């Protein structure tokens, strides 16, 4: 599944640079000025920007900033990509804030009960970036793996894949086996099960005093519902 979260953003910028003016970092003031300059469209009045702190002169270092665009604060992340002497090259990428991501994830599911999504952080607008959220519908809570798949203008596109915990898989599989009237002494699963057709994990089964492996294979996914078959 692919979802597009309507999220105001101008464009992801690559190849920007700033100079380390003191110590081993781009100062907050210098970084703020660079972000404001880079995020301002040609011919427009310079946008207002604020950054939470300095950007360390180290490849992979990050710093979060905010840009004021059309009366809205847009979150961006500055990522250092190259350091050469006092010059620090960096990319500027959009961030979907945690509360926006929660709203976007919840909006893509339907249920009679209230749907509540909880995400510990936001989602970077970089292909491959991930965030693990949970979605609660009534008494049930399911993990959801959210991954950035691309940028489309003002949209951050992402996929959302339900992920069943080892305990949830074992409980569901045990219910299926017991419904067949089979005496199961123990069933444990060590791995999570991703909700994508064909995904599989192996669980340990003790049946009638004999230990064996039980394969759990996803056959269909409908929203948060993951259907699977069992293979001994």
């Amino acid at each position: 599944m692919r979802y597009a979260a309507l999220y105001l953003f101008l464009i992801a910028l690559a190849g920007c640079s700033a100079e380390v003016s003191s110590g081993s970092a781009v100062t907050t003031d210098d970084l703020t000025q660079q972000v404001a300059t880079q995020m301002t469209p040609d011919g427009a009045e310079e946008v207002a920007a604020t950054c939470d702190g300095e950007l360390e002169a180290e490849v992979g270092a990050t710093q979060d900033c905010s840009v004021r665009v059309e009366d809205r604060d847009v979150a961006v992340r500055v990522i250092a990509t190259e350091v050469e002497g006092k010059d620090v090259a960096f990319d500027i990428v959009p961030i979907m804030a945690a509360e926006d991501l929660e709203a976007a994830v919840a909006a893509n599911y339907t249920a009679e009960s209230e749907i509540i999504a909880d995400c510990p952080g936001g989602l970077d607008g970089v292909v491959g970036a991930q965030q693990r959220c949970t979605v609660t519908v009534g008494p049930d809570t399911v993990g959801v793996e959210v991954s950035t798949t691309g940028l489309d203008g003002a949209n951050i596109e992402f996929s959302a894949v339900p992920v069943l915990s080892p305990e949830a898989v074992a409980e569901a599989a045990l219910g299926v086996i017991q419904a067949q009237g089979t005496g199961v002494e123990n069933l444990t699963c060590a791995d999570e099960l991703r909700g994508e057709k064909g995904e599989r994990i192996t669980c340990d089964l003790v049946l009638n005093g004999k230990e064996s492996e039980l394969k759990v294979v996803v056959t269909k996914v409908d929203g948060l519902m993951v259907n699977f078959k069992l293979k001994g």
Side-chain angles (χ1 to χ4, degrees), residues 2-5 12 94 96 123-129 147-159:
R2 290 166 60 89
Y3 307 121
M96 190 184 300
L123 183 67
D124 288 356
V126 178
V127 173
S147 304
T148 300
T149 57
L151 292 175
D152 180 16
N155 300 327
I156 293 178
E157 296 181 333
F158 63 88
S159 63

Side-chain angles (χ1 to χ4, degrees), residues 160-176:
V161 179
V163 181
L164 302 184
S165 68
E167 295 77 15
V169 176
E171 181 180 355
L174 183 61
V176 172

Side-chain angles (χ1 to χ4, degrees), residues 56-80:
E56 295 295 327
E58 180 179 338
V59 174
T62 63
Q63 186 55 258
D64 291 346
C65 301
S66 178
V67 181
R68 189 73 175 172
V69 181
E70 296 181 0
D71 298 325
R72 285 192 59 185
D73 290 322
V74 178
V76 298
R77 177 158 293 154
V78 181
I79 306 172

Side-chain angles (χ1 to χ4, degrees), residues 18-144:
E19 185 175 290
V20 175
S21 55
S22 64
S24 58
V26 179
T27 67
T28 304
D29 289 344
D30 288 346
L31 183 62
T32 298
Q33 182 59 53
Q34 283 289 330
V35 170
T37 299
Q38 297 295 339
M39 294 297 295
T40 300
D42 292 340
E45 183 178 348
E46 185 170 275
V47 301
T50 58
C51 294
D52 294 343
E54 300 177 330
L55 178 66
E56 295 295 327
E58 180 179 338
V59 174
T62 63
Q63 186 55 258
D64 291 346
C65 301
S66 178
V67 181
R68 189 73 175 172
V69 181
E70 296 181 0
D71 298 325
R72 285 192 59 185
D73 290 322
V74 178
V76 298
R77 177 158 293 154
V78 181
I79 306 172
T81 57
E82 184 179 354
V83 178
E84 185 175 346
K86 288 189 174 183
D87 292 328
V88 180
F90 56 85
D91 294 343
I92 302 175
V93 300
I95 305 172
M96 190 184 300
E99 57 269 26
D100 294 329
L101 180 59
E102 290 168 348
V105 170
N108 282 288
Y109 298 107
T110 57
E112 295 182 358
S113 302
E114 181 183 11
I115 301 174
I116 301 174
D118 182 41
C119 304
L123 183 67
D124 288 356
V126 178
V127 173
Q130 294 186 340
Q131 184 60 261
R132 179 65 69 93
C133 302
T134 59
V135 176
T136 299
V137 182
D140 301 318
T141 298
V142 179
V144 175

